Amino acid sequence: MRSHKHFWALMTAAVSTGGGLMAAEPEAEKHFVLKVLPLFKEKCLACHGDDPKKFKGGFDMRTPERFFSGGDSEKNPVVPGKPEESVLYISVTRTDSSLAMPPKENDKLSEAQVEIIKHWILDGGIWPDAGRIAEITEEQARAPKAAATGETGVKVTTSGGLSDDWTNRPTSRRICGRMRRFVACSKTKDQKADVPLIASSAPR
């Protein structure tokens, strides 16, 4: 069950900001996992998560259920789509000195970090469940590898190989570029030539 997630997803669809609907749920989930959650861990959990015996104001930020319950105040810290009305945003912008968080001036959030919180609230304050968080984290971990290899995911039929998998394997941007130049050059020399598109032969 994703009860808390579905609730915030419905709020996302229902609340409009700036004349348009808020961001789609998948993008809002990614924003939370890749930007908001790391920010919580860096700036907030020392007082609201690392040691349950020392929670400030009884506010536990380790899970969505506890976070949205608001601690001792029992007031939800996020008003979906309305950062200026959200205790969380008011705290990190330090517009109310009695709510300023983190409490030390030297630890305050940068303008960019405040924008991350604001963006999250505008998107509905979506906090995906543990399974979805793990999925997004894994996708992000795979992304640099794909970028480094230049793999496009586009299958190019070659001259044949030991198996269908080899013949129709994904090729890289670098190989695609070389093949395009090869074909263009060959046709320039002989416009009537029928040059086959060959990436490489299979290993022997």
Side-chain angles (χ1 to χ4, degrees):
M1 292 292 290
R2 298 184 178 182
S3 57
H4 62 274
K5 177 182 167 186
H6 286 307
F7 171 76
W8 292 111
L10 289 172
M11 292 299 293
T12 300
V15 180
S16 63
T17 57
L21 288 177
M22 290 183 292
E25 185 179 348
E27 290 305 311
E29 289 178 330
K30 289 180 180 179
H31 178 74
F32 175 80
V33 175
L34 302 179
K35 295 187 177 181
V36 178
L37 192 55
L39 185 55
F40 281 176
K41 291 178 179 178
E42 177 187 351
K43 293 289 189 177
C44 307
L45 293 189
C47 294
H48 301 287
D50 289 345
D51 189 346
K53 296 179 180 179
K54 297 181 180 179
F55 286 154
K56 300 294 179 65
F59 188 37
D60 185 350
M61 299 179 67
R62 294 176 300 172
T63 67
E65 293 83 2
R66 292 171 179 171
F67 174 86
F68 292 120
S69 68
D72 292 345
S73 71
E74 298 183 354
K75 182 178 181 180
N76 192 327
V78 170
V79 179
K82 300 179 179 180
E84 289 78 10
E85 297 179 20
S86 301
V87 174
L88 177 64
Y89 184 73
I90 294 171
S91 297
V92 299
T93 54
R94 313 177 82 81
T95 53
D96 183 336
S97 58
S98 67
L99 297 174
M101 292 292 167
K104 294 181 180 180
E105 182 73 18
N106 290 340
D107 295 333
K108 69 179 182 180
L109 273 63
S110 67
E111 290 184 8
Q113 290 172 328
V114 170
E115 281 300 309
I116 288 173
I117 297 297
K118 183 178 183 179
H119 184 174
W120 179 54
I121 296 173
L122 286 172
D123 283 350
I126 289 179
W127 187 318
D129 61 26
R132 180 61 176 144
I133 290 175
E135 181 182 340
I136 293 172
T137 302
E138 185 177 347
E139 289 174 356
Q140 183 67 12
R142 290 199 302 264
K145 181 178 180 181
T149 59
E151 187 172 294
T152 64
V154 176
K155 291 184 176 181
V156 176
T157 301
T158 68
S159 59
L162 301 178
S163 68
D164 289 341
D165 288 341
W166 170 266
T167 300
N168 298 301
R169 68 194 183 282
T171 190
S172 70
R173 294 182 180 88
R174 183 169 60 254
I175 293 175
C176 284
R178 289 176 178 173
M179 288 191 296
R180 292 191 189 99
R181 289 194 296 272
F182 173 73
V183 171
C185 181
S186 298
K187 287 190 175 182
T188 299
K189 293 179 179 178
D190 184 358
Q191 293 295 328
K192 296 182 179 181
D194 185 13
V195 182
L197 185 62
I198 302 175
S200 63
S201 60
R204 304 300 181 188

